[in-house]
Amino acid sequence: MATKSHEQLNIMFFPYMAAGHIIPFTHVAKLFSSRGVNSTMITTPLNAPLCTNSIQRSKCLEFDKKIELILIKFPSAEVGLPEGCERADLITTPEMDGKFFLATTLLEIQLEQILDEHRPHCLVADAFFPWATDVAAKFGIPRLYFHATGLFPLCASLSMMIHRPHKKLLSETESIVLPGFLDEIKMTRNQIADFFKLDEEAEFTKFCKAGLESEERSYGVIVNSFYELEPDYADHYRKVYGRKTWHIGPVSLYNKELEDIAESSVAEQYQCLKWLDSKKPNSVVYVCFGSMIKFADCQLLEIAAGL
């Protein structure tokens, strides 16, 4: 990824179409931009506000003036999705989930056209786009992976995908120990995510395998963590799994405006902290289901009652 001393470094960022991916990708683009890099985000029209709102606030404060935006068409209609279904949280059925996944694979042609036209020095693409490694390679462009999660879960996921220890379990309550792991982590079959338990011929299993191979052939991996937080797993990820890594997180800390953090207002943060301060020590349990899970009120009440 060497450039001539007088050249301006140009890097493109291509996140998966979900808020939990686009927001940290935008933070990374802003971080690179603050170091003098010309940064460009690639996304669809519906998802653009997740990027532009944050970027525009920074520009008003004279930060991150070099971030550009390239819009691509999300092929909703081509795969049978409703027009405008361009983000993962808009999926409402398992059938739509499969179609949405298929639609993301059809973005390959548009990405190839963009790289051919702009010829950036590097492409930072989401882990959900394993095919981006080969697309970038056509033009001699290094591809970096970005993982918004930490190194402990990355190592745990790789252990599950490579070794598939759950296949040895005979019942849902029988437990296994994650193989090749630094700490002893025991899990029963019913605690393992369903996508890990899919048959080897399942499309998602094949996708995960292709992702592992693509990541191995990529230029390296950017991780939303820092070495001092989990040094053993940072070393494990690099030495055992052979990944060239850069730990640049937590990327949300780059934001100089409090409004950017978690996309919430200062007043909302204050109210949350005020409520937490009113509780006794060790009396609050925080449960996070991610940015795409939707529960009916009755389900939330059952979960709360169970806790």
Side-chain angles (χ1 to χ4, degrees), residues 34-49:
S34 72
R35 302 296 194 270
V37 173
N38 283 333
S39 301
T40 302
M41 293 285 294
I42 304 172
T43 192
T44 68
L46 185 78
N47 292 297

Side-chain angles (χ1 to χ4, degrees), residues 270-284:
Y270 173 76
Q271 289 299 325
C272 181
L273 292 172
K274 183 180 178 181
W275 182 85
L276 287 171
D277 288 340
S278 71
K279 303 301 177 183
K280 295 179 180 179
N282 300 318
S283 67
V284 176

Side-chain angles (χ1 to χ4, degrees), residues 99-250:
K99 290 180 178 179
F100 190 89
F101 176 74
L102 174 61
T104 63
T105 66
L106 301 181
L107 297 171
E108 182 175 342
I109 296 175
Q110 293 185 73
L111 178 64
E112 183 171 337
Q113 292 170 343
I114 291 170
L115 296 182
D116 188 21
E117 178 182 352
H118 295 273
R119 300 297 176 112
H121 295 102
C122 178
L123 171 69
V124 182
D126 202 288
F128 276 88
F129 303 138
W131 41 266
T133 300
D134 291 329
V135 173
K138 289 182 180 181
F139 308 103
I141 299 170
R143 181 263 171 92
L144 286 171
Y145 267 72
F146 172 63
H147 288 295
T149 186
L151 290 151
F152 176 90
L154 282 177
C155 291
S157 296
L158 283 171
S159 175
M160 289 296 300
M161 288 188 284
I162 293 172
H163 300 289
R164 298 178 65 82
H166 58 280
K167 294 187 69 176
K168 301 176 183 178
L169 299 179
L170 301 177
S171 70
E172 290 296 309
T173 55
E174 188 180 355
S175 64
I176 52 97
V177 175
L178 284 186
F181 216 60
L182 295 174
D183 296 289
E184 184 176 276
I185 306 296
K186 289 185 177 181
M187 299 181 72
T188 59
R189 185 178 174 84
N190 56 16
Q191 290 176 319
I192 299 171
D194 289 338
F195 60 82
F196 282 128
K197 295 182 283 188
L198 292 172
D199 186 84
E200 291 190 26
E201 295 303 312
E203 288 302 316
F204 192 77
T205 304
K206 292 179 180 178
F207 168 79
C208 291
K209 184 178 179 181
L212 290 177
E213 295 171 351
S214 172
E215 189 175 278
E216 289 175 355
R217 291 185 286 106
S218 71
Y219 190 80
V221 182
I222 297 174
V223 185
N224 189 16
S225 184
F226 56 100
Y227 184 84
E228 292 78 6
L229 178 66
E230 39 189 353
D232 292 341
Y233 286 96
D235 293 337
H236 187 75
Y237 191 66
R238 178 173 53 85
K239 295 177 181 178
V240 176
Y241 296 118
R243 303 301 196 263
K244 186 193 297 183
T245 55
W246 291 267
H247 318 116
I248 65 170

Side-chain angles (χ1 to χ4, degrees), residues 65-93:
K65 293 184 177 180
K66 301 185 181 72
I67 300 179
E68 303 296 334
L69 190 66
I70 293 178
L71 296 181
I72 57 176
K73 181 184 181 298
F74 193 80
S76 305
E78 288 85 337
V79 296
L81 286 172
E83 197 65 41
C85 185
E86 301 177 11
R87 195 168 58 238
D89 63 313
L90 300 176
I91 297 169
T92 57
T93 67

